[in-house]
Amino acid sequence: MDDAALYNAAVAEAEGRNRAAIAAISGGDPARARVELAALREAFGRLVERWGKTRLAAVKGEPDGVTIMVDLPMRVVTAQMMIDFGRPDIATSSLVAVCRLLVALHVPPDPVAAAGCERDLP
């Protein structure tokens, strides 16, 4: 697998964990949502570790790569807190924003993925 394919697979892994967390929240399973959020943090951490200085920092447009590297982890923390506070609606909203951030990382851009952030909501 070439570098671009590895990068896109890493983005897809983070997206899958994000979708799984949203599904767990909508299914009323906060314990599973916490597991998926931890896996999302790990997947995004690997993505940043491997490509943070090259691909992520080079993302153009709004939001840019540096913003994504800061904003996404904060939104995941917010989702975790809202689950703990019994506010699944706010947790889901935070994870929809995470979806949009992850979609911005697609190379090449994927309009189908962008539309899916709201479409896949329960």
Side-chain angles (χ1 to χ4, degrees):
M1 210 182 283
D2 68 357
D3 191 55
L6 288 171
Y7 170 78
N8 286 323
V11 172
E13 180 185 0
E15 288 175 312
R17 294 303 186 168
N18 189 55
R19 283 190 303 276
I22 291 171
I25 292 166
S26 71
D29 189 349
R32 182 70 187 162
R34 287 182 193 95
V35 168
E36 293 299 342
L37 288 174
L40 170 57
R41 281 191 300 271
E42 290 173 16
F44 187 70
R46 286 190 299 274
L47 181 67
V48 169
E49 183 178 314
R50 175 95 188 257
W51 288 283
K53 291 185 180 179
T54 56
R55 289 191 186 263
L56 297 185
V59 172
K60 301 294 185 222
E62 288 298 322
D64 67 9
V66 174
T67 300
I68 291 170
M69 287 188 285
V70 173
D71 196 29
L72 192 145
M74 292 307 298
R75 290 184 183 274
V76 172
V77 168
T78 298
Q80 175 70 55
M81 289 172 47
M82 293 301 107
I83 290 167
D84 293 344
F85 294 156
R87 296 299 309 265
D89 54 326
I90 298 173
T92 298
S93 177
S94 185
L95 294 178
V96 168
V98 167
C99 176
R100 289 186 199 114
L101 293 170
L102 289 169
V103 164
L105 297 178
H106 282 238
V107 177
D110 184 355
V112 173
C117 290
E118 283 79 18
R119 182 192 64 230
D120 296 338
L121 285 176

